Amino acid sequence: MLFKKIGVIGGGTMGQGIAEMLAAKGIDVLLVEKTAEKLDYSYHMIEMSLDKQLEKWGITQTEKKLILSRIQKVVHFAELGTCDMVIEAIYEDIEAKKEVFAQLDQVCPNNIILASNTSTLSLTELASSTMYPERVIGMHFIHPVGKVDLVEIIRGLKTSEITFVETKRFVEEIVNKKGVMIYESPGFVTSRLICLLINEALHILQEGVASAEDIDDAMRIGYQFQNGPLEMADRFGLDSVLAALERMFREFGELKYRPSTILKKMVRAGNLGVKTGEGFFTYDKDGDRI
């Protein structure tokens, strides 16, 4: 199977990262959002990301133009019928994702792989909304997509061997990242582990054991984390962390997954991290910490 044109549904943080990364690898991308306004915003954010790399001599002006030229803005699902693979990357809502997969089932030939970037949801349930569940698979990229060379490849109950093999080949040979195979389980591996670390850091903060700054410094410097657990939460989105913990708490029924009170308060206050400019730390419009 050739992977020359990939559809990416959802122009949020993850969708932007996936689209930019694929275009940088020389792949044509069809980026889909609900409205032209949202598409323009997503495209603008990708352009800003490339400008940051340009400032740091990471890419040239020519490379920036080439990457952007490979990203086509699309609002109609019907255009995805020409893609070699489609990656869904909308917000973590099972019903919304099932609706997307049901629509894709109508427009994409039955040999085209339909992948989801979900971090916690059931691939088996997502696949149940299609006529060909064997072609549905999880492809969970880690934020920031361009810098983290790992992808969780999640098999649903009916995911076929050929779907898995082709997806793993795409991840490792085309995208040049390490693919790890995961059998479906709430939170998979990365989300399940990192959310527990974040939740424990929140308990430490709530108990007054240490400040947010010192908690993050302890893990960032002491254990060579790129970001401390609280800044990680800010960058993931506190609402996304809360949703993931609540989902795992429901599925496993274990107290260790119960979200800390301070996390719930922050979300209720609308302090969601980078996306709102304020979480446990403050950020500028470019997402850089102040």
Side-chain angles (χ1 to χ4, degrees):
M1 185 181 292
L2 298 175
F3 296 105
K4 293 184 177 181
K5 186 192 291 185
I6 307 293
V8 176
I9 302 176
T13 302
M14 291 304 295
Q16 292 163 23
I18 294 168
E20 180 188 325
M21 179 272 300
L22 292 175
K25 299 287 184 183
I27 298 169
D28 291 327
V29 177
L30 266 59
L31 181 60
V32 185
E33 255 296 356
K34 287 183 177 179
T35 66
E37 290 75 19
K38 287 186 175 182
L39 263 177
D40 288 340
Y41 174 77
S42 299
Y43 193 84
H44 172 66
M45 293 303 290
I46 293 171
E47 194 168 8
M48 282 180 59
S49 170
L50 294 172
D51 283 337
K52 283 186 181 180
Q53 296 171 52
L54 196 61
E55 289 170 6
K56 298 175 182 177
W57 302 91
I59 59 172
T60 64
Q61 187 68 39
T62 301
E63 286 173 322
K64 174 194 166 182
K65 289 180 179 178
L66 197 56
I67 291 169
L68 289 173
S69 71
R70 294 192 184 110
I71 301 173
Q72 180 183 340
K73 295 183 282 187
V74 173
V75 291
H76 300 295
F77 273 44
E79 295 183 54
L80 297 174
T82 60
C83 291
D84 302 309
M85 173 190 279
V86 178
I87 303 170
E88 169 275 313
I90 69 168
Y91 55 95
E92 289 285 273
D93 179 275
I94 189 70
E95 294 305 322
K97 286 181 184 283
K98 283 169 72 174
E99 186 178 335
V100 166
F101 275 85
Q103 290 182 60
L104 289 174
D105 213 38
Q106 301 298 314
V107 299
C108 296
N110 60 21
N111 63 319
I112 300 304
I113 294 172
L114 305 182
S116 175
N117 184 58
T118 180
S119 58
T120 57
L121 297 174
S122 166
L123 271 302
T124 301
E125 187 171 353
L126 288 178
S128 70
S129 64
T130 73
M131 293 176 63
Y132 307 101
E134 65 276 4
R135 62 158 165 181
V136 176
I137 196 164
M139 194 156 47
H140 178 219
F141 291 88
I142 314 297
H143 178 73
V145 178
K147 294 180 180 178
V148 180
D149 292 328
L150 179 83
V151 179
E152 288 183 306
I153 304 172
I154 306 103
R155 301 181 71 144
L157 183 64
K158 295 184 178 180
T159 303
S160 69
E161 183 65 20
I162 187 64
T163 297
F164 169 72
V165 169
E166 286 297 308
T167 302
K168 188 173 175 66
R169 183 176 70 82
F170 169 76
V171 167
E172 298 194 335
E173 295 181 17
I174 312 298
V175 179
N176 199 29
K177 294 182 184 288
K178 173 63 180 175
V180 292
M181 187 184 79
I182 312 291
Y183 287 104
E184 184 177 304
S185 177
F188 315 135
V189 171
T190 56
S191 296
R192 183 170 171 179
L193 289 173
I194 205 64
C195 283
L196 278 178
L197 174 66
I198 290 169
N199 207 34
E200 194 58 34
L202 291 167
H203 285 309
I204 291 171
L205 180 65
Q206 191 172 312
E207 291 163 15
V209 175
S211 68
E213 186 83 39
D214 285 345
I215 290 168
D216 270 22
D217 282 348
M219 298 307 293
R220 185 175 54 80
I221 300 169
Y223 288 91
Q224 298 181 13
F225 280 39
Q226 182 178 345
N227 297 308
L230 299 179
E231 186 172 342
M232 278 187 209
D234 280 349
R235 295 194 177 280
F236 294 155
L238 300 190
D239 51 341
S240 298
V241 175
L242 177 60
L245 282 167
E246 287 179 332
R247 192 169 293 115
M248 289 188 284
F249 184 39
R250 285 196 303 271
E251 292 282 348
F252 291 113
E254 296 184 32
L255 289 176
K256 63 184 178 181
Y257 297 107
R258 185 169 65 185
S260 74
T261 304
I262 194 170
L263 178 61
K264 293 180 180 178
K265 286 181 179 178
M266 294 286 280
V267 173
R268 287 169 186 157
N271 297 340
L272 307 181
V274 174
K275 67 176 82 175
T276 59
E278 185 177 358
F280 293 103
F281 306 101
T282 54
Y283 306 86
D284 63 23
K285 62 181 177 60
D286 294 331
D288 295 323
R289 194 166 143 187
I290 299 172

